[in-house]
Amino acid sequence: MPLINYVALRALVEELDALGAHPAPDAAARRRLEDAQYTVCVYTGVRDPRRALGRARRLLAERPPTAAAGAAPLVAAEPVPLGAAG
């Protein structure tokens, strides 16, 4: 069962939002976008980056940010079979 650090996941979603808001101007920015998409897939257990981002948003919606962002504990997420997830 994967553990999710919601502080890190929230930062990753924010980074994806920022990277996706504008076309990647250079190879380094495109690579960072690809890396962030891959990471959100790993975090959520979903292979498709768009579906993974949607799942990440749902997970974050279920867990509002805490007052002390660094105090968010690791929490077990529900298991997702890789073949059925996307």
Side-chain angles (χ1 to χ4, degrees), residues 1-2 4 6 44 55 59 62 75-81:
M1 179 177 288
I4 296 177
Y6 286 88
T44 60
R55 176 152 171 76
L59 287 168
E62 295 169 3
V75 178
E78 67 256 22
V80 178

Side-chain angles (χ1 to χ4, degrees), residues 27-50:
R30 284 190 297 276
R31 178 59 192 207
R32 182 58 203 140
L33 177 62
E34 291 170 2
D35 288 347
Q37 288 172 330
Y38 173 82
T39 303
V40 79
C41 288
V42 171
Y43 253 83
T44 60
V46 178
R47 291 182 181 177
D48 179 78
R50 289 183 185 174

Side-chain angles (χ1 to χ4, degrees), residues 6 9 13 40 44 51-61:
Y6 286 88
L9 184 60
V13 169
V40 79
T44 60
R51 291 173 129 187
L53 185 56
R55 176 152 171 76
R57 290 185 196 286
R58 286 189 300 279
L59 287 168
L60 292 171

